[in-house]
Amino acid sequence: MDETIRIPDHPHLAEWMKETNIEGKAFRGELGEISEWAARKALWDWPVGCQVTLEELSERALSIQMGLTLNSMVDQGLVDMEWSEEHGEMIFSLTPGGKEWAAQNGQ
């Protein structure tokens, strides 16, 4: 059976939390790493007092973290983002600078 938790009061969010991971250490941006901000923000998706599985909460936190990461890459000029009417969602693609960065970093 999936472990469930009861959503506590919706926690405070602050920008500095994007720089700290859920272990209280500096956020490194590694695959699967979740910032304190994303973990807290995920709790806001459910009403206070309801129960949610840890798996659902983790998936939502990872989704939020991916959004933060993609937005950061857009801000840095590494990725372009545009709406696709055909797919009904945002489409991301590497910019020439993003392709250069990926080549230099072995990605």
Side-chain angles (χ1 to χ4, degrees):
M1 184 168 128
D2 288 335
E3 183 179 349
T4 61
I5 64 166
R6 184 172 302 280
I7 300 297
D9 290 338
H10 290 144
H12 171 74
L13 296 170
E15 285 298 309
W16 65 264
M17 292 175 184
K18 293 178 181 177
E19 304 299 324
T20 305
N21 67 23
I22 59 175
E23 296 173 339
K25 299 177 182 170
F27 184 76
R28 298 173 309 278
E30 295 178 358
L31 187 61
E33 183 180 25
I34 299 173
S35 68
E36 179 75 15
W37 193 90
R40 288 172 176 243
K41 181 66 175 156
L43 293 169
W44 283 79
D45 284 2
W46 290 274
V48 171
C50 85
Q51 290 199 332
V52 62
T53 67
L54 196 51
E55 182 178 347
E56 289 174 305
L57 187 58
S58 296
E59 286 176 9
R60 181 62 185 133
L62 280 170
S63 176
I64 291 169
Q65 188 61 55
M66 181 61 75
L68 289 173
T69 300
L70 286 170
N71 285 334
S72 175
M73 293 176 81
V74 168
D75 291 347
Q76 294 173 42
L78 301 174
V79 172
D80 279 329
M81 173 176 65
E82 64 182 79
W83 179 256
S84 169
E85 289 293 334
E86 178 182 345
H87 297 100
E89 63 185 5
M90 297 301 291
I91 302 293
F92 298 89
S93 59
L94 288 174
T95 63
K99 290 176 184 176
E100 182 180 318
W101 179 88
Q104 290 174 357
N105 291 283
Q107 304 294 321

